[in-house]
Amino acid sequence: DHGSIPPSLSWSFAGPFGKFDQGQLQRGYKVYKEVCSACHSMNLVHYRNLTDPGGPGFSVAQAEALASEIQVKDGPNDAGDMFERPGRVADKFPSPFPNENAARAANGGAAPPDLSLMAKARGYERGFPQFIFDAFTQFQEKGPNYIHALLTGFESSPPEGFALPEGSTYNKYFPGHATKMPNPLADDQVTYDDGTPQKVDQYAKDVSAFLMWAAEPKLEERKRIGLQVMIFMIILAGLLYFTKKAVWADAH
Ligand code: HEM
């Protein structure tokens, strides 16, 4: 069982003119930081990326402040000693566990996967004929649709007749339905200071958008260049059409 098909949401980054919503990415970072990062690493994201164009739009000072909240193991120094120092923007997001075995041991045998590329990795694995249908719909949004569905798809008790293994939680959208991830979100768990509703559904949307940005940091740039290419091609096609007419004007 692949799990139920996640509903398609309308994302700000969908379509040829799509852009990330900076406020949403900043809120999504907060949800990741305060909730998900207790179990999940994001090894490919560095604090400096938070200031990249087409991203959450944090200022350099904000990124420096966020980085300085973590402690990083560094060294050896001149005396040959390892030491801890506050994080810098060149550091990557910290990992909650020292290694895979520790991650497994703390989570009932299932290591929480790195979330850097999760929005690209998930949601594409559907069988025939679903994948053909997917190719004609919002293919790019499959990942964030799935992550949002997963985070809102926990059920406190499994349906009649489903044998839930000890230590697992039932989730409508997780492939196989029995997951070792405990329901991580509850209403009012993360404080938003921009008046956005502090609801599980909203947290799930915001963190899914944040993970989409992490997996596709050049999304806006690619869409912009794609559009410019299309405009160029249309103009070129027009020029070629009139050139052809002029060149062949006498050839009756
Ligand atoms: C798996 C997202 C919080 C533990 C996953 C997966 C995603 C995800 C996308 C992969 C599911 C799949 O394989 O299809 C998130 C997000 C979180 C969050 C966005 C924050 C809102 C947590 C927390 C914990 C945790 C706080 C630990 C208490 C796990 C574990 C798995 C997992 C153990 C592996 C599940 C399995 O294979 O059975 N998570 N997670 N997650 N997560 Fe999380």
Side-chain angles (χ1 to χ4, degrees):
D1 188 343
H2 281 276
S4 304
I5 294 174
S8 292
L9 305 186
S10 56
W11 300 99
S12 71
F13 49 81
F17 306 101
K19 278 188 189 317
F20 288 117
D21 171 344
Q22 284 196 347
Q24 177 165 57
L25 295 189
Q26 295 198 6
R27 293 192 303 273
Y29 168 75
K30 198 163 194 237
V31 175
Y32 168 73
K33 159 89 194 178
E34 291 182 20
V35 183
C36 326
S37 75
C39 301
H40 291 276
S41 61
M42 287 187 79
N43 279 330
L44 300 180
V45 185
H46 296 69
Y47 284 95
R48 63 178 152 74
N49 297 130
L50 296 174
T51 67
D52 287 347
F58 284 109
S59 69
V60 173
Q62 283 172 315
E64 280 170 349
L66 293 170
S68 72
E69 290 169 15
I70 64 161
Q71 287 293 311
V72 180
K73 270 210 180 68
D74 206 342
N77 59 15
D78 290 345
D81 299 323
M82 303 299 286
F83 60 95
E84 289 218 331
R85 58 164 176 79
R88 300 191 284 251
V89 288
D91 290 315
K92 59 185 187 182
F93 288 3
S95 297
F97 303 105
N99 56 55
E100 172 109 9
N101 278 345
R104 274 185 207 294
N107 289 281
D114 186 89
L115 294 183
S116 307
L117 298 175
M118 188 55 78
K120 275 204 289 207
R122 285 294 184 274
Y124 297 89
E125 300 126 332
R126 307 225 166 262
F128 186 83
Q130 184 62 30
F131 82 90
I132 295 187
F133 175 76
D134 285 354
F136 293 97
T137 54
Q138 303 128 309
F139 196 62
Q140 193 174 35
E141 284 91 60
K142 292 292 165 201
N145 283 341
Y146 169 71
I147 297 170
H148 168 271
L150 181 75
L151 294 172
T152 54
F154 290 94
E155 270 153 37
S156 45
S157 54
E160 277 284 305
F162 185 91
L164 189 68
E166 180 77 25
S168 294
T169 310
Y170 186 86
N171 189 293
K172 215 175 144 196
Y173 298 98
F174 187 78
H177 297 302
T179 178
K180 290 283 165 67
M181 170 155 77
N183 184 356
L185 293 169
D187 289 351
D188 281 323
Q189 187 175 354
V190 178
T191 306
Y192 282 163
D193 37 30
D194 63 357
T196 304
Q198 302 183 164
K199 296 278 179 237
V200 168
D201 185 67
Q202 186 66 41
Y203 294 148
K205 282 179 181 149
D206 294 347
V207 79
S208 300
F210 175 72
L211 294 179
M212 181 65 172
W213 164 74
E216 290 275 20
K218 303 280 184 199
L219 177 140
E220 288 190 9
E221 192 184 341
R222 283 197 291 109
K223 290 196 173 186
R224 190 174 60 245
I225 292 171
L227 212 62
Q228 286 166 353
V229 168
M230 292 311 290
I231 291 166
F232 171 82
M233 299 284 258
I234 289 164
I235 294 170
L236 184 69
L239 287 175
L240 287 176
Y241 173 75
F242 288 111
T243 305
K244 183 254 167 205
K245 271 188 105 162
V247 168
W248 291 88
D250 297 331
H252 291 295

